[in-house]
Amino acid sequence: MDTRQKLAALRALMRANKVDAFHVPSTDPHQSEYVPAMWQRRAWLSGFTGSAGDVVVTARQAALWTDSRYFLQAELQLRGSGIALMKLAEPGTPSITGWIARQLKPGQVLGVDPQLLSVQEAETFVAELAEAGIAVRPLAANLLDEVWTDRPEPRLDPVRLHSPRHAGATARDKLREVRLAMRAAGARAHVLAALDTIAWLFNVRGADVDFNPVVIAYAVVMEKEARLFIDPRKITPELTKALKRDVKLLPYAKLPATLRELRATRAPVLLDPATTNAWVADQLRADQIVRGPSPVTALKAVKNAVQIRGVAACHVRDGVAMVKFLKWLEPAVRAGGVTELSAADRLEAFRAEGRLFQGLSFNTISAYGPHGAIVHYAADRRSNARLRPRGIYLIDSGGLYLDGTTDITRTVTLGGPTPRQKEAFTRVLRGHIAVAAAKFPAGTSGQRLEVLARAPLWEAGLNYGHGTGHGVGHYLSVHEGPMGLTPKDVRNVPLRPGNLLSIEPGYYRAGGWGIRLENLAFVALDEKLSGPGGDWYGWDVVTLCPLDRRLIDRRLLTPRERAWLNAYHARVYRELRPHLDPEHRAWLKAATRAI
Amino acid sequence: MDTRQKLAALRALMRANKVDAFHVPSTDPHQSEYVPAMWQRRAWLSGFTGSAGDVVVTARQAALWTDSRYFLQAELQLRGSGIALMKLAEPGTPSITGWIARQLKPGQVLGVDPQLLSVQEAETFVAELAEAGIAVRPLAANLLDEVWTDRPEPRLDPVRLHSPRHAGATARDKLREVRLAMRAAGARAHVLAALDTIAWLFNVRGADVDFNPVVIAYAVVMEKEARLFIDPRKITPELTKALKRDVKLLPYAKLPATLRELRATRAPVLLDPATTNAWVADQLRADQIVRGPSPVTALKAVKNAVQIRGVAACHVRDGVAMVKFLKWLEPAVRAGGVTELSAADRLEAFRAEGRLFQGLSFNTISAYGPHGAIVHYAADRRSNARLRPRGIYLIDSGGLYLDGTTDITRTVTLGGPTPRQKEAFTRVLRGHIAVAAAKFPAGTSGQRLEVLARAPLWEAGLNYGHGTGHGVGHYLSVHEGPMGLTPKDVRNVPLRPGNLLSIEPGYYRAGGWGIRLENLAFVALDEKLSGPGGDWYGWDVVTLCPLDRRLIDRRLLTPRERAWLNAYHARVYRELRPHLDPEHRAWLKAATRAI
């Protein structure tokens, strides 16, 4: 079936179910960013494979909303599909509900799958469409599932325990903290749906989703009991044994029975309206729901001492892989035959030589020349460009290790950097340093801080269309909240020591090249500045890999910026040197020379 | 009567009216920052004369909440009053409602004057106290008014027309824009209570309030009619004549009749819940109220071409006054006899020499030595310090001119600056320049931008406890919204060309000295950076006055910062020179020499 045939089949079902529009978001019942194949309904329907994008289908029209990361990709993939591209945040682009309100008439009905909308999103849909007289009808089953006959099977890899040796705390420790916070919020139970919060809380990991070592699960934490709902085919006797004192393991499909039990007790239940789907909320009494962020989100984002040591350790191995890769790259490109995909494979192979490596933390962005300007570019067999000894190459990649998650972007010249490239690179570097070298008082949010990364680019009228940084999980999702370095209000959360974030400003010249420089860093107490007046924080950078000196215009750096760069490079050499052979040492020594 | 006697009299009335607590805020029925003497109930009751501070009185206790600007002053003024000081935003300080909830028992009653709470504040009170079982009772008359027998009379200065020659638009022009916005919000009437919005809309000015040339008034804009409610004793025949085609003038006391009319029509009425008092809302049907920011707030904040020219022109005159003052200061201090108050008077006299001067835009902060560390210090006869030829002097002052409002802070050394003072001054200067020299894309809020001013201080663990900048009215209030340069979420409003803001980072060493450097600047389109990719903005600084070179540690400045400073100083000299005599020219030339 092509997209037009799929749309026709869906529209027939819409008529049969008396809905005038149908909403197909990219997410799953757990509001996941990375969605298991069996739940990738939007990609199957539309052919657009980007990670973010909602489709709405009416009797005559269909449209897909996605953000600037994916404009180019979506244009290509939607060509001829009958689905119009809606560019989010561009002037003139209607909102999803604005568009629906224009397409439908008052009295008509939008059908939704309540498992695929968070409580918050469902409320926004209902409120915004009510103004246009359009009803939102939650459907008991997703219409697409009747059309999608060759749907992938769920993955059944066994659930693994994540050792407290790496996690630094047991599930029991964590349940104690969560129950304290639950009680403080006035609740006697807490339903969890976000997969990374569940994996963290119970120290379990799995292979249900690409790149995120999570397990498809729900969890309910009660005062005396915790229930974990997982497909029983994935449960091993070891897991049952390890958890049995603290956790009751139940089949994934048995969640409704527990929700009915909770409903009957009328006890207050804490739900995070941003990460829990509307179907869960609908199973409870409206007046027993205590709305609030899950306490797990903030607890998970503050790494303990064991995790901090682990993250530092895995970044040494990750840095060694990056150094091997960068040293290999240039001669290999000159010799010929290196492509975006083969380069990414080479880096993965270098990573796999490291201890505790479990796989990649996301699909590597290996982007040569103009592809570098596509912020979330994913090379495929058709686009796969051959690297030449000129121009700019950007690689954004990361590994999952038992002791931490990495995420690093480096941009290198393969020959003949132009003054314009050097200026842009240097401004991106200055923005990176402005954040990484910043000190800030306790209480400061990343939302306030992030403009420091942009100011050096803004000076020249340059900018970038993505956030400056995101939280990073511990052998978990490479994106996590609640904090972040973005202008989004939702990230206006004070940074706390132990938070791990990326710092990744960039600059993209559409059709030309892209630059992004990304390190991970912990928020850390600054002992020297802290005192009776209050605590001060700074950043402990953990990523260890040289920044391409050949792309730096030294004259644009202030002495302070040069000092930061030289100290960083000296440290990269010092920390990686013991793990390198003489040839790589020599390469790294040259690559980290003071400027 | 002293405060203890006043409290006793109030408590007797509380018993008679069956309320267990009574709320005495500092504001008036128009949510004014500067409150006319006849409405300064909180100052009269408590003896605390700061601009911000709420008192709550129970049968046995009384407390006053104020912010860090006023901690020192409130401690002094409340001594022996029987009123406890509650330091806002200090750890352990209860909120007003939290404190009331602890003082009263469930079932007890807080009495409030609904004219003195905004709709928003009243709702917060009701919601927060409901949790503790405490009712909020709006009283028909303010209890204090029975006790306060020697209350000042209202001022009756005639209302003046603000010429469209200075305003750049007529009341008719403005009413057209407001009606458009009103309709867009789905309303058929709009009630205005904030005095600066009313003054702006009708081009009227008055002398009812110190420092703010506003008129005590309400206004109701309807589709075909606009009504302005002012005490008839202040209306001149000229005003009646000038407004008669567009505005119906009615007595201030007649507002209730119009609100009853609106209520009877059931038509939707736009109310700004942040600036309209709860009593107004109570006169209407709840279901006819359309809540939203007054369109006047955003319209008023975008200055037109005539206003922009006027603001530039009045800043030349204001700069001349500042230069005369600064040149006079040092020899006068050496000669002896200069005090904080006499210096402020001298500056006011220099300002009064300028054309179109109408008075000060706020109470001058003339602060020598340790007084400089009190952010909103107001010298009085007791505190009035004598200036000596050493240490640091800070003066924050502004003028009202028919063509604009000024607000400037300069910090100067009177002798022997220490390295610590120079470092702090230079870091404040670097923060000031970081904002003033910044470029930013359309859509950026001042809330995002303001951290640029702090970063150079934060580097050294220094900070300041106030915002970085506020909007400034046009021959109107020196503080206006909706935008601002502060971390407050409420100021997360995109900056727009024509917005006039202060840029005023500082640093304060309690018990030592204070530094603040404040210029006003317009947000302005940057023609060079703007293009098809979007608009870029920068700042057009309007304040013209040298920054004290003797307090600058040149080595801490980057070449870019030095270039900004030298260009600014060159411009100050160029623009003020034609208006100065040879002696002042020579002084200014030296004061603006390149560094």
Side-chain angles (χ1 to χ4, degrees), chain B residues 318-370:
Chain B
D318 208 66
V320 167
M322 282 297 297
V323 164
K324 288 178 181 168
F325 172 74
L326 291 173
K327 176 178 178 304
W328 162 84
L329 182 68
E330 220 174 323
V333 169
R334 274 199 306 272
V338 176
T339 66
E340 291 169 335
L341 286 174
S342 78
D345 288 346
R346 198 74 198 85
L347 175 55
E348 183 172 359
F350 283 130
R351 278 209 167 90
E353 294 173 8
R355 250 179 9 100
L356 309 182
F357 180 73
Q358 304 293 306
L360 298 183
S361 58
F362 57 98
N363 197 10
T364 299
I365 299 171
S366 171
Y368 178 57

Side-chain angles (χ1 to χ4, degrees), chain A residues 446-476:
Chain A
Q447 192 250 4
R448 282 183 67 195
L449 215 54
E450 76 106 36
V451 79
L452 296 177
R454 297 184 191 268
L457 286 155
W458 285 1
E459 266 176 23
L462 311 182
N463 200 4
Y464 49 96
H466 55 78
T468 300
H470 53 81
V472 176
H474 183 262
Y475 179 37
L476 259 183

Side-chain angles (χ1 to χ4, degrees), chain B residues 242-525:
Chain B
L243 291 179
K244 73 164 179 256
R245 284 209 188 170
D246 304 292
V247 185
K248 192 164 172 180
L249 278 167
L250 291 163
Y252 184 76
K254 291 287 184 198
L255 176 70
T258 290
L259 295 178
R260 273 195 300 275
E261 258 180 67
L262 286 176
R263 184 184 174 93
T265 65
R266 297 180 174 232
V269 178
L270 179 63
L271 279 193
D272 187 334
T275 60
T276 316
N277 70 59
W279 170 83
V280 169
D282 290 345
Q283 310 312 302
L284 300 169
R285 298 168 55 95
D287 63 5
Q288 77 179 144
I289 294 176
V290 178
R291 299 164 71 108
S294 170
V296 172
T297 309
L299 289 170
K300 176 165 64 65
V302 174
K303 273 64 176 175
N304 59 42
V306 171
Q307 290 176 308
I308 291 173
R309 277 199 303 276
V311 169
C314 76
H315 274 89
V316 171
R317 300 192 295 280
D318 208 66
V320 167
M322 282 297 297
V323 164
K324 288 178 181 168
F325 172 74
L326 291 173
K327 176 178 178 304
W328 162 84
L329 182 68
E330 220 174 323
V333 169
R334 274 199 306 272
V338 176
T339 66
E340 291 169 335
L341 286 174
S342 78
D345 288 346
R346 198 74 198 85
L347 175 55
E348 183 172 359
F350 283 130
R351 278 209 167 90
E353 294 173 8
R355 250 179 9 100
L356 309 182
F357 180 73
Q358 304 293 306
L360 298 183
S361 58
F362 57 98
N363 197 10
T364 299
I365 299 171
S366 171
Y368 178 57
H371 289 161
I374 305 170
V375 174
H376 280 232
Y377 173 71
D380 59 25
R381 265 163 303 169
R382 269 185 314 170
S383 72
N384 190 18
R386 178 182 297 262
L387 276 56
R388 310 268 175 197
R390 59 174 170 274
I392 281 194
Y393 173 67
L394 179 157
I395 184 154
D396 184 352
S397 68
L400 294 167
Y401 300 85
L402 287 181
D403 48 358
T405 299
T406 69
D407 182 359
I408 171 172
T409 311
R410 286 298 182 267
T411 305
V412 296
T413 173
L414 294 177
T418 66
R420 199 200 279 264
Q421 289 169 344
K422 289 176 74 168
E423 186 195 333
F425 186 97
T426 309
R427 289 188 183 276
V428 173
L429 175 62
R430 290 182 57 212
H432 184 100
I433 296 172
V435 174
K439 305 293 180 188
F440 47 99
T444 306
S445 68
Q447 192 251 3
R448 282 183 68 194
L449 215 53
E450 76 105 36
V451 78
L452 296 177
R454 296 185 193 268
L457 286 155
W458 285 2
E459 267 175 24
L462 311 181
N463 201 2
Y464 49 97
H466 55 77
T468 300
H470 53 82
V472 176
H474 183 262
Y475 180 36
L476 259 182
S477 319
V478 77
H479 293 156
E480 73 172 19
M483 68 293 163
L485 283 164
T486 92
K488 287 184 195 160
D489 273 351
V490 69
R491 297 292 179 228
N492 198 354
V493 173
L495 294 169
R496 296 175 57 191
N499 286 164
L500 179 63
L501 290 106
S502 70
I503 303 173
E504 48 177 317
Y507 173 68
Y508 309 93
R509 216 174 140 69
W513 34 268
I515 289 164
R516 184 161 64 250
L517 301 177
E518 176 185 28
N519 281 347
L520 300 192
F522 278 112
V523 177
L525 188 76

Side-chain angles (χ1 to χ4, degrees), chain A residues 143-457:
Chain A
L143 297 183
L144 273 188
D145 298 357
E146 282 190 52
V147 188
W148 189 5
T149 46
D150 55 343
R151 193 168 155 188
E153 289 296 315
R155 289 174 62 167
L156 294 174
D157 307 56
V159 174
R160 286 167 285 118
L161 266 178
H162 183 50
S163 163
R165 205 175 66 238
H166 294 304
T170 62
R172 186 178 299 176
D173 299 332
K174 297 178 187 180
L175 281 165
R176 194 179 305 124
E177 289 190 87
V178 170
R179 285 182 174 121
L180 276 174
M182 190 174 96
R183 262 172 252 147
R188 289 172 50 200
H190 177 29
V191 181
L192 286 160
L195 301 185
D196 62 342
T197 62
I198 296 171
W200 177 86
L201 178 56
F202 297 102
N203 281 344
V204 293
R205 297 293 189 273
D208 294 353
V209 179
D210 288 344
F211 307 117
N212 281 187
V214 294
V215 182
I216 292 173
Y218 284 103
V220 178
V221 179
M222 295 175 283
E223 288 187 310
K224 303 271 173 211
E225 202 187 330
R227 299 185 188 173
L228 180 55
F229 300 85
I230 297 179
D231 185 327
R233 291 174 289 179
K234 293 186 283 196
I235 304 294
T236 63
E238 292 72 36
L239 185 76
T240 311
K241 192 174 157 221
L243 291 178
K244 73 166 182 253
R245 285 208 187 169
D246 304 294
V247 185
K248 192 165 175 180
L249 279 167
L250 291 164
Y252 185 76
K254 291 287 187 200
L255 176 68
T258 290
L259 295 178
R260 275 195 301 275
E261 257 179 66
L262 287 177
R263 184 185 174 92
T265 65
R266 298 181 173 228
V269 177
L270 178 63
L271 279 194
D272 187 336
T275 60
T276 315
N277 69 60
W279 170 84
V280 169
D282 290 346
Q283 309 312 302
L284 300 169
R285 297 169 57 93
D287 63 5
Q288 77 179 146
I289 294 175
V290 178
R291 300 164 70 110
S294 170
V296 173
T297 310
L299 289 170
K300 176 165 64 64
V302 174
K303 272 64 176 172
N304 59 41
V306 172
Q307 292 176 308
I308 290 174
R309 276 199 304 275
V311 169
C314 76
H315 274 88
V316 171
R317 300 193 295 280
D318 209 66
V320 167
M322 282 297 299
V323 164
K324 287 179 182 169
F325 173 75
L326 290 174
K327 177 180 176 302
W328 162 84
L329 183 69
E330 221 175 323
V333 168
R334 273 199 307 271
V338 176
T339 67
E340 291 170 335
L341 286 174
S342 76
D345 288 345
R346 198 76 198 83
L347 175 55
E348 184 172 358
F350 284 129
R351 279 208 168 92
E353 293 172 8
R355 252 180 5 100
L356 307 183
F357 180 72
Q358 304 293 305
L360 298 182
S361 59
F362 57 97
N363 197 11
T364 299
I365 299 172
S366 170
Y368 178 55
H371 290 160
I374 305 171
V375 174
H376 280 231
Y377 173 71
D380 59 25
R381 266 161 302 169
R382 270 184 315 170
S383 71
N384 189 18
R386 179 182 296 266
L387 275 57
R388 312 268 176 197
R390 60 176 169 274
I392 281 192
Y393 173 66
L394 179 157
I395 184 153
D396 184 352
S397 68
L400 293 168
Y401 300 85
L402 287 181
D403 48 356
T405 299
T406 69
D407 182 359
I408 171 173
T409 310
R410 286 296 181 268
T411 305
V412 296
T413 175
L414 296 177
T418 66
R420 200 200 279 263
Q421 288 168 344
K422 289 176 74 167
E423 187 195 334
F425 186 97
T426 309
R427 288 188 184 277
V428 173
L429 175 63
R430 290 182 57 213
H432 184 100
I433 295 172
V435 174
K439 305 293 179 189
F440 47 98
T444 305
S445 68
Q447 192 250 4
R448 282 183 67 195
L449 215 54
E450 76 106 36
V451 79
L452 296 177
R454 297 184 191 268
L457 286 155

